[in-house]
Amino acid sequence: MGFEQNFSLKGKVAWVTGASYGIGFAIASAYAESGATIVFNDINQELVDKGLKAYADKGIKAHGYVCDVTDEAAVNALVEKIEKEVGVVDILVNNAGIIRRIPMTEMSAAEFRKVIDVDLNAPFIVSKAVIPSMIKKGHGKIINICSMMSELGRETVSAYAAAKGGLKMLTRNICSEYGKYNIQCNGIGPGYIATPQTAPLRERQPDGSRHPFDSFIIAKTPAERWGETSDLMGPAVFLASDASNFVNGHILYVDGGILAYIGKQP
Ligand code: NAP
Ligand code: GCO
């Protein structure tokens, strides 16, 4: 067999959380094309049905489940169901996430806690639920979807940055605690990607001009463009495959060079 087999996910069960659309859907699609059996969840049946149709339209037979990833009992029950109906989870992508763009002094503690709950507590809950079976199986891959905000702050995203910064360190700690069981836990830090989550930042102005933030990101990105979900597919397959078995605790930034660049002079 050629070296390319190291990038195959054939025979693996991959669970991508919050993957009815957006980044999660793209990553799960790439995993399916690489041979994995796809499991995904979303927060309600309508979204799960939307996702099942979208996967089917791409010729992918996915297993979709309703589950709020912040609900530990529901997550534990879902893991049992997945193991019974599909198989032990070999690859987990903690993708589900929310953002609330509110100036910190105007943000309620409840709003702050909600973002932390989905973007940081949930990856802890879901990872904790799948690790025991990964240990028994002798291998596992956990990929946490981090962010530019794992490294940088900006106005109005205090909760999100705190969560994604914490997710970077949770990634490194899972690596540290479970690496001896042949479990690799890494992160992907997408740059600014065109998905529903960033749609408000790209809305055309009434006069048809670009949103100021849209122009700002273009000036901050050496690639001079927003990322597409397809830009994340290759890095995600790499981190889920045997090709990355000695990569652990690493955050792979897929950002078109934003973190390396001071930004274009206005
Ligand atoms: P998105 O379009 O908002 O999709 C997020 C998905 O997660 C949605 O399906 C959402 O369902 C689901 N979700 C939210 N809360 C959930 C919960 N409690 N339980 C289960 N599912 C839940 O986001 P995206 O742009 O694809 O981003 C996906 C991940 O990448 C997020 O972690 C985000 O922080 C991160 N990220 C995004 C970018 C970017 O530029 N887009 C860049 C860096 C990192 P609902 O439809 O009900 O909300
Ligand atoms: C924002 C954006 C970012 C992106 C992403 C960047 O409001 O700044 O939503 O947070 O979603 O996380 O990596």
Side-chain angles (χ1 to χ4, degrees), residues 21-23 99 101 154 191-218 221 224-229:
Y21 59 89
I23 287 171
I99 192 167
R101 300 182 183 96
R154 85 172 184 86
Y192 280 82
I193 313 294
T195 72
Q197 191 244 52
T198 55
L201 305 175
R202 290 176 285 109
E203 269 166 11
R204 284 281 168 182
Q205 302 301 284
D207 64 2
S209 62
R210 280 179 180 272
H211 189 294
F213 196 89
D214 183 352
S215 306
F216 168 67
I217 289 303
I218 300 297
T221 309
E224 294 187 346
R225 67 173 175 87
W226 283 72
E228 297 297 333
T229 57

Side-chain angles (χ1 to χ4, degrees), residues 22-244:
I23 287 171
F25 178 81
I27 289 176
S29 300
Y31 287 0
E33 288 178 42
S34 303
T37 297
I38 300 306
V39 174
F40 75 100
N41 69 292
D42 225 306
I43 201 144
N44 59 49
Q45 192 59 51
E46 186 188 350
L47 275 172
V48 170
D49 292 343
K50 171 184 169 183
L52 286 169
K53 183 178 182 313
Y55 287 112
D57 289 349
K58 290 175 69 105
I60 298 169
K61 186 192 172 309
H63 301 263
Y65 299 93
V66 176
C67 180
D68 176 346
V69 289
T70 66
D71 179 341
E72 187 167 25
V75 167
N76 291 338
L78 179 55
V79 169
E80 280 185 35
K81 193 173 174 73
I82 291 169
E83 291 186 357
K84 202 176 296 171
E85 295 179 359
V86 187
V88 168
V89 175
D90 299 290
I91 302 159
L92 167 67
V93 180
N94 285 305
N95 166 78
I98 62 173
I99 192 167
R100 295 291 180 267
R101 300 182 183 96
I102 307 168
M104 195 180 102
T105 53
E106 297 168 27
M107 181 178 244
S108 70
E111 286 166 326
F112 187 93
R113 274 196 291 267
K114 177 65 182 170
V115 175
I116 298 291
D117 209 17
V118 178
D119 294 2
L120 180 56
N121 293 345
F124 159 77
I125 288 169
V126 184
S127 301
K128 179 183 160 196
V130 301
I131 283 172
S133 292
M134 288 180 171
I135 291 174
K136 284 193 195 108
K137 201 166 182 183
H139 67 250
K141 296 279 187 180
I142 298 175
I143 296 151
N144 293 321
I145 306 300
C146 297
S147 162
M148 296 287 93
M149 274 63 223
S150 296
E151 302 292 342
L152 303 169
R154 85 172 184 86
E155 298 80 1
T156 75
V157 295
S158 59
Y160 185 82
K164 293 297 188 181
L167 186 57
K168 174 176 73 172
M169 286 315 300
L170 177 63
T171 300
R172 291 179 176 162
N173 216 77
I174 293 171
C175 151
S176 307
E177 202 164 356
Y178 297 100
K180 59 175 172 274
Y181 299 108
N182 190 28
I183 293 172
Q184 293 84 49
C185 182
N186 293 288
I188 289 176
Y192 280 82
I193 313 294
T195 72
Q197 191 244 52
T198 55
L201 305 175
R202 290 176 285 109
E203 269 166 11
R204 284 281 168 182
Q205 302 301 284
D207 64 2
S209 62
R210 280 179 180 272
H211 189 294
F213 196 89
D214 183 352
S215 306
F216 168 67
I217 289 303
I218 300 297
K220 277 289 286 177
T221 309
E224 294 187 346
R225 67 173 175 87
W226 283 72
E228 297 297 333
T229 57
S230 57
D231 289 316
L232 299 164
M233 295 165 88
V237 168
F238 166 65
L239 288 178
S241 73
D242 288 340
S244 62

